[in-house]
Amino acid sequence: MLRRLLTQTSSPRRLLSSKTPFFSKPSLSPFSSLPSSPDPPSSASSHVEESGSAAAAGTTISVDRSALFNPPDHSHEPTPDSELVEHLKSVIKFRGGPISVAEYMEEVLTNPRSGYYMNRDVFGAQGDFITSPEVSQMFGEMIGVWTVCLWEQMGKPERVNLIELGPGRGTLMVDLLRGTSKFRNFTESLHIHLVECSPALQKIQHQNLKCTDESSSEKKAVSSLAGTPVHWHATLEEVPSGVPTIIIAHEFYDALPVHQFQKTPRGWCEKMVDVGEDSQFRFVLSPQPTPAALYLVKRCTWATPEEKEKLEHVEISPKSMDLTQEIAKRIGSDGGGALIIDYGKDVIISDSLQAIREHKFVNILDYPGSADLSAYVDFPSIKHSAEEASENVTVHGPMTQSQFLGSLGINFRVDALLQNCDDEQTESLRSGYWRLVGDGEAPFWEGPDEQTPIGMGERYLAMAIVNRNQGTPAPFQ
Ligand code: SAH
């Protein structure tokens, strides 16, 4: 079956490019205002759209955050405040003091009126960054392979909730459905649930999945790609439970808010966002312990003694811990599994939050709402949160994206696709493949002419949380 999935010789759909991070260590002192943004990185690659077998070309440069070493300048030019800036300033004013970095991040990304994700398509050449599903159709296809394998381990249930958290343009799901379309028993079992906060992206997902509405009031439709029912929800809690479940979270955790802490002579202080006398946002340190310190204590209990010794800065994401607990409880009681793929580390994270606008790293505090904010994913914290939440789940990985896709057979898939390609498609498939599995370091990003494929294979990690009854999922055996 696996081989059949991998060797279908359909034409390659498109060609491709991503985002990846880095670390920075601004030096902070208690109560002082802090240097705002760190030294970010960048990358370049190309994306060619194609429908059917006729390729129509367009070029996109995307950002690999690991090689951009020049910190963006913090702009202090007086400009009229945007709606979001006014909102943030009024929250700080009425709160009577600074807000946490996590609250700032959450408002910037998902404020219902003017959050970064809420009103537009942020991906691709006209957007700010590109992700793996947009790099190559093979990414969604390989996730399809993983999903079918898990479904088989689950005993081929007749009904499955396939939940995707933060589907972006819906590209991963489109490629998954197309890649698995010959497995009718599998596709017929699916009820797709997309957890998406952005009305603009929900609309794009609806179009790309070729949906026809069944009931607009209930946000329910049918995708003509596989005759599959599709539902939209703002949160995972809204998705009905009680049915075997497969959850996919690709580049979702990195968008969840993080709190940042700094070790000082008077103990750990939380980094906060305030408004200075010049009316600009600035970082300050909390004068006393904050509520998030409880999560800091919890996270530190999972750190190794060597990690603890070296800690000067710590970044934690209570939202990620809570989400993981919800996932683990669901998988523990309903059966199935979850796959989390993101850029991150298998150690405690120190200071990784960064901002990207139009494929360049920018200051976190400048023009909030106009740039993507994201942080490295703390994989050990996901593992411990899941294990703590349910005895019925096991956690596997993380392993690198390169190992994950390689073990699932991406090499066979690329060979099969290459049999049906013109020169341009061949080039694009090859660069997309290397982009997904390679570990190449990004050269300094020079501009649109530089199209060196940058590897995401080592920086991105994959982790699975599965119900104990399912045994060990592929390819973690
Ligand atoms: N998985 C996609 C998109 C990644 S970008 C891909 O790999 O291409 C993050 C996605 O998560 C976007 O769709 C964004 O709108 C959504 N998102 C971010 N924060 C969210 C939240 N708190 N609740 C629901 N969706 C969220």
Side-chain angles (χ1 to χ4, degrees), residues 1-2 4-6 8 10 137-152 162 172-190 192 225-228 246 248 413:
M1 185 283 301
L2 187 61
R4 214 173 115 209
L5 269 172
L6 296 167
Q8 293 173 53
S10 52
Q137 68 188 69
M138 290 184 288
F139 189 79
E141 289 170 350
M142 300 317 295
I143 305 296
V145 171
W146 184 85
T147 308
V148 174
C149 290
L150 181 65
W151 174 76
E152 292 201 327
L162 176 59
L172 186 157
M173 191 57 78
V174 168
D175 290 334
L176 182 154
L177 288 177
R178 194 178 28 72
T180 57
S181 59
K182 295 210 170 112
F183 298 87
R184 295 303 303 167
N185 289 349
F186 168 71
T187 54
E188 279 166 12
S189 74
L190 298 179
I192 295 175
L225 296 180
T228 319
I246 300 176
I248 293 164
R413 185 64 189 141

Side-chain angles (χ1 to χ4, degrees), residues 92-226:
I92 292 168
K93 186 171 166 201
F94 290 111
R95 190 76 56 80
I99 56 173
S100 67
V101 169
E103 190 173 353
Y104 175 81
M105 187 174 174
E106 186 161 17
E107 288 287 350
V108 167
L109 293 182
T110 58
N111 177 281
R113 283 175 64 88
S114 41
Y116 172 75
Y117 282 117
M118 302 309 279
N119 306 309
R120 61 209 150 123
D121 181 2
V122 298
F123 308 94
Q126 309 306 317
D128 295 307
F129 60 88
I130 295 181
T131 57
S132 293
E134 307 292 333
V135 166
S136 172
Q137 68 188 69
M138 290 184 288
F139 189 79
E141 289 170 350
M142 300 317 295
I143 305 296
V145 171
W146 184 85
T147 308
V148 174
C149 290
L150 181 65
W151 174 76
E152 292 201 327
Q153 279 179 279
M154 290 158 69
K156 304 185 181 177
E158 277 176 19
R159 178 165 175 175
V160 170
N161 279 348
L162 176 59
I163 304 174
E164 187 179 356
L165 305 178
R169 281 178 171 166
T171 309
L172 186 157
M173 191 57 78
V174 168
D175 290 334
L176 182 154
L177 288 177
R178 194 178 28 72
T180 57
S181 59
K182 295 210 170 112
F183 298 87
R184 295 303 303 167
N185 289 349
F186 168 71
T187 54
E188 279 166 12
S189 74
L190 298 179
H191 281 242
I192 295 175
H193 295 271
L194 302 178
V195 175
E196 174 58 68
C197 63
S198 161
L201 289 172
Q202 283 190 3
K203 226 180 246 175
I204 294 171
Q205 292 152 17
H206 187 283
Q207 281 164 11
N208 288 342
L209 281 159
K210 307 212 180 325
C211 285
T212 46
D213 280 337
E214 279 210 328
S215 150
S216 56
S217 58
E218 287 175 44
K219 299 216 164 163
K220 188 176 162 201
V222 171
S223 166
S224 61
L225 296 180

